[in-house]
Amino acid sequence: MYTPPFTISPRTIHLIADISALVERYAIRMEQEDALLLRKINRIKTIQGSLAIEGNTLSESQITDILDGKHIVAPIREIQEVRNAIKTYNSYHTFDPYSVDDLLIAHKIMTEALVDNTGHFRQGGVGVFAGTQLIHMAPPADRVPYLIKDLFEWLRKSDDHLLIKSCVFHYEFEFIHPFSDGNGRIGRLWQSLILGKLHPVFEHLPVENMVFANQQAYYNAINRSTDAVNSGIFIDFMLQEIYETLKKRQGDSIVTMKATKDVGINVGINVGINEQKVLELLRKNNQITAKEIAGLLGISLRHSERLITSLKQKGMIQRVGSNKNGYWEIIV
């Protein structure tokens, strides 16, 4: 049986112990009265985080609107990506993480109307680029079915801890890059499915959201593991992300979040990653301009203005004084 190359460090062992303790506490949290709403919140965060890693700009509030059947103004492709992700995560319980056939079904749902060969392995070569620089050339297309078969066989038969197996699978899947598009989304989903075999709470843990917040470190961990021909570095990175996510979510409270008539649920749960970044910039400099925000975040001026408008509508910021000489006041 093929065994992917990885090593288990002392840090890995400590993280497994810490995560195991936090999982039980998080499970208790998910049994409280507001658990149903919290699951919806975390599902939205999961979808927003996973898609944002791939460049989707829709905020949590916009995803909430789509989930609730409302119309939004946004690029058609990005709306389709969200709709597909919602359908895919709604099918979470129908997927067997040990089934290659289910992997293909999930890809078909996730990439519907987005790629030509949805639900099928790629037929050509593919590389991963950082700008114009090639950072990873995936294995030849004719090897993909065999590599995936070997990976799933290891996943089914290995006696390693599920936390480790989920991380190794995630890394190996991204290395193989079996699809022409959607590899990141499916890889992160599949890690969640594997973790779900360890404990059901992982279905509602938005690890993707925190990975997006540490996106460069995520890619660095993948690249360093590739250079070392050993996924141990990536294992430690992902376990740390899982630990931090569990630790952060222990005290989630919905009742402390401010509700407004403009936002269907609560302001606190509808603040996207980019909106959070805008708030941080405003806290550091309350006279910063939309153009300066766009430059610092690497987004368009229009997108920057849309984020500011969204925060204003949610009652989280307000403009004091004129556009030229005034400043931003953070309300919540």
Side-chain angles (χ1 to χ4, degrees):
M1 180 183 73
Y2 168 75
T3 300
F6 66 91
T7 53
I8 299 174
S9 69
R11 182 185 177 195
T12 302
I13 297 172
H14 286 302
L15 283 169
I16 289 174
D18 292 341
I19 289 169
S20 298
L22 287 178
V23 162
E24 295 305 322
R25 290 171 57 187
Y26 188 68
I28 295 172
R29 171 66 189 91
M30 294 302 291
E31 292 176 358
Q32 295 180 16
E33 291 182 1
D34 59 359
L36 183 61
L37 181 54
L38 186 57
R39 290 190 186 99
K40 179 179 180 180
I41 293 167
N42 286 348
R43 175 59 54 78
I44 292 167
K45 287 180 177 294
T46 293
I47 291 171
Q48 195 273 337
S50 190
L51 293 181
I53 294 171
E54 309 299 328
N56 189 293
T57 63
L58 270 61
S59 66
E60 289 174 23
S61 60
Q62 290 174 304
I63 293 173
T64 300
D65 287 342
I66 294 174
L67 189 63
D68 292 338
K70 298 178 182 178
H71 294 288
I72 68 167
V73 178
I76 294 176
R77 181 180 178 86
E78 295 192 4
I79 294 174
Q80 184 67 40
E81 287 176 344
V82 170
R83 287 174 175 165
N84 290 355
I86 291 171
K87 290 180 183 178
T88 306
Y89 279 93
N90 283 346
S91 301
Y92 185 97
H93 292 288
T94 71
F95 298 134
D96 177 0
Y98 303 111
S99 169
V100 176
D101 288 341
D102 282 2
L103 178 79
L104 296 174
I105 292 171
H107 183 263
K108 183 177 179 63
I109 300 172
M110 186 72 84
T111 60
E112 181 183 2
L114 297 174
V115 300
D116 293 333
N117 58 338
T118 178
H120 297 279
F121 293 132
R122 58 183 168 86
Q123 297 299 308
V126 65
V128 180
F129 291 83
T132 59
Q133 181 182 2
L134 177 67
I135 58 175
H136 172 59
M137 176 57 72
D142 61 356
R143 293 290 304 151
V144 168
Y146 304 101
L147 293 172
I148 288 293
K149 179 183 177 182
D150 287 346
L151 180 59
F152 271 81
E153 182 183 16
W154 169 81
L155 180 64
R156 287 191 299 269
K157 296 181 179 180
S158 170
D159 293 328
D160 293 296
H161 196 285
L162 278 169
L163 280 167
I164 293 174
K165 288 167 72 171
S166 73
C167 297
V168 173
F169 181 94
H170 186 159
Y171 169 78
E172 291 287 329
F173 183 87
E174 299 305 332
F175 181 87
I176 297 169
H177 235 62
F179 302 111
S180 60
D181 193 18
N183 294 286
R185 282 162 278 174
I186 295 298
R188 289 184 289 274
L189 166 66
W190 228 251
Q191 177 164 16
S192 293
L193 286 168
I194 297 167
L195 289 171
K197 292 295 184 180
L198 176 65
H199 201 293
V201 298
F202 281 104
E203 178 186 356
H204 305 289
L205 187 71
V207 176
E208 288 91 341
N209 197 266
M210 288 201 72
V211 169
F212 175 60
N214 298 284
Q215 188 172 353
Q216 190 56 54
Y218 169 74
Y219 288 124
N220 288 344
I222 290 177
N223 293 336
R224 289 175 61 200
S225 290
T226 300
D227 291 341
V229 195
N230 185 309
S231 59
I233 296 170
F234 185 75
I235 292 171
D236 285 348
F237 170 79
M238 284 305 304
L239 290 182
Q240 185 68 40
E241 291 302 302
I242 292 169
Y243 170 77
E244 293 294 343
T245 305
L246 280 167
K247 186 177 179 181
K248 181 179 180 182
R249 299 294 167 186
Q250 295 301 312
D252 274 356
S253 175
I254 293 176
V255 296
T256 60
M257 299 175 182
K258 178 183 176 183
T260 72
K261 64 180 181 180
D262 296 322
V263 183
I265 307 177
N266 294 296
V267 169
I269 67 174
N270 283 326
V271 179
I273 291 292
N274 282 336
E275 289 173 321
Q276 293 174 22
K277 291 180 179 179
V278 171
L279 284 173
E280 288 302 314
L281 291 175
L282 292 176
R283 288 191 180 98
K284 294 177 181 178
N285 178 9
N286 63 4
Q287 293 183 313
I288 194 171
T289 66
K291 185 176 181 180
E292 290 171 333
I293 290 173
L296 290 170
L297 297 185
I299 59 179
S300 68
L301 175 58
R302 184 176 181 181
H303 186 196
S304 173
E305 292 171 340
R306 189 169 69 187
L307 292 171
I308 292 172
T309 299
S310 177
L311 290 171
K312 287 169 61 180
Q313 291 174 343
K314 293 174 182 178
M316 302 191 74
I317 62 173
Q318 67 179 10
R319 187 70 180 178
V320 178
S322 67
N323 289 334
K324 184 177 181 180
N325 299 315
Y327 64 91
W328 291 106
E329 179 182 358
I330 298 177
I331 302 172
V332 292

